[in-house]
Amino acid sequence: MTSDSSPQPISPLRARMIEDMSVRGFKEDTRRDYVRHVRALAAFIGRSPDTATAEELRLFQLHQTQSGLQPPSINSAVSALRFFFTVTLDRPDLARRLTVVPYPRRIPTVLSVEEVTLLLHAASAPKYKAAFATAYGAGLRVSEDEGVQELTEVVAEFSSNYEHHLDRLLDRLGPEALGGRNPAVLIA
C-alpha cells in the first residue's frame, strides 16, 4: 500500500483566508481551527462557503446546537465564520447574522472549614503551610476554583517551583486583589 505524500491542493479561497490570518498574526492553531470551522460550514451546505446564505448560516448554527455542540465550541465557530465573511469575503452583512451563544458562568465553590484544614494539612513543611494560610486568609482568589487549583498544583509539586506557582497565582490576581498588601510578604 502506498500513500500519496504530495500535499492536497488548496483552493484559492482557503489560501486567501490563510493569508488574511497570517497577515494579522494568527497562530497556527487558530488558523487550523478557523479553516476547520469554515470547512464544516461548507460540508453542511454542500458547496463552497462563499455562496452561503443568511438562512443557511442560521440552519448551520441550529444544527450545531442540536448536535450537542457546547456554547464555547459554537462561539469558536462564530468567530471563525465572522472572520471569514468580514475579512476574507468582505461580506459583513452575513457575519452579523451569526449569533454568539451565551452560557452560564459557574458560581465558585466556597471551601468549608474542613476543606481548608485539609488543604493546609496537605502541605508538608511549615513554609508551605504559612504561604497557603496567608494566601487563603488574605482572600487572594482569582475565583475559588482557579485559586484552589493553583494551590493544589503547588502542594502537588512540592519542589523548588513552589515560588513560581505562588507568583503565578499572584500575577493572575492582579494588584487590586492584593488590597495594598506587599506580595513579597505573602511569598516569604
Side-chain angles (χ1 to χ4, degrees), residues 80-142:
L81 295 173
R82 281 184 176 171
F83 178 86
F84 175 70
F85 286 111
T86 303
V87 176
T88 303
L89 295 181
D90 194 24
R91 292 182 60 192
D93 55 307
L94 283 180
R96 284 191 297 270
R97 300 293 192 146
L98 295 161
T99 306
V100 172
V101 180
Y103 55 98
R105 305 288 181 187
R106 285 184 274 171
I107 297 174
T109 304
V110 177
L111 296 179
S112 69
V113 173
E114 294 80 22
E115 290 170 321
V116 173
T117 303
L118 284 173
L119 181 63
L120 294 176
H121 286 317
S124 62
K127 176 180 177 179
Y128 300 124
K129 287 181 184 182
F132 295 148
T134 304
Y136 194 80
L140 301 178
R141 301 174 191 101
V142 178

Side-chain angles (χ1 to χ4, degrees), residues 15-176:
R16 179 179 171 131
M17 182 179 173
I18 292 170
E19 289 169 358
D20 290 340
M21 290 186 287
S22 296
V23 165
R24 285 161 180 79
F26 285 26
K27 298 208 181 277
E28 180 61 33
D29 288 345
T30 305
R31 291 194 304 254
R32 185 174 44 250
D33 287 344
Y34 275 31
V35 167
R36 180 176 46 86
H37 289 304
V38 173
R39 191 174 34 229
L41 172 66
F44 178 78
I45 64 174
R47 60 183 191 282
S48 179
D50 61 336
T51 63
T53 64
E55 179 63 14
E56 288 169 329
L57 290 177
R58 188 187 75 77
L59 290 173
F60 179 64
Q61 280 201 282
L62 183 62
H63 166 74
Q64 288 180 313
T65 303
Q66 291 173 341
S67 297
L69 218 54
Q70 294 300 307
S73 298
I74 294 172
N75 292 340
S76 177
V78 167
S79 295
L81 295 173
R82 281 184 176 171
F83 178 86
F84 175 70
F85 286 111
T86 303
V87 176
T88 303
L89 295 181
D90 194 24
R91 292 182 60 192
D93 55 307
L94 283 180
R96 284 191 297 270
R97 300 293 192 146
L98 295 161
T99 306
V100 172
V101 180
Y103 55 98
R105 305 288 181 187
R106 285 184 274 171
I107 297 174
T109 304
V110 177
L111 296 179
S112 69
V113 173
E114 294 80 22
E115 290 170 321
V116 173
T117 303
L118 284 173
L119 181 63
L120 294 176
H121 286 317
S124 62
K127 176 180 177 179
Y128 300 124
K129 287 181 184 182
F132 295 148
T134 304
Y136 194 80
L140 301 178
R141 301 174 191 101
V142 178
S143 74
E144 286 292 332
D145 290 340
E146 291 176 8
V148 169
Q149 176 61 36
E150 186 70 27
L151 289 174
T152 303
E153 286 177 18
V154 174
V155 171
E157 288 206 11
F158 280 116
S159 68
S160 60
N161 284 342
Y162 131 80
E163 290 89 358
H164 165 74
H165 287 288
L166 197 54
D167 282 344
R168 276 189 10 211
L169 178 61
L170 293 172
D171 287 344
R172 289 189 352 210
L173 292 169
E176 65 281 349

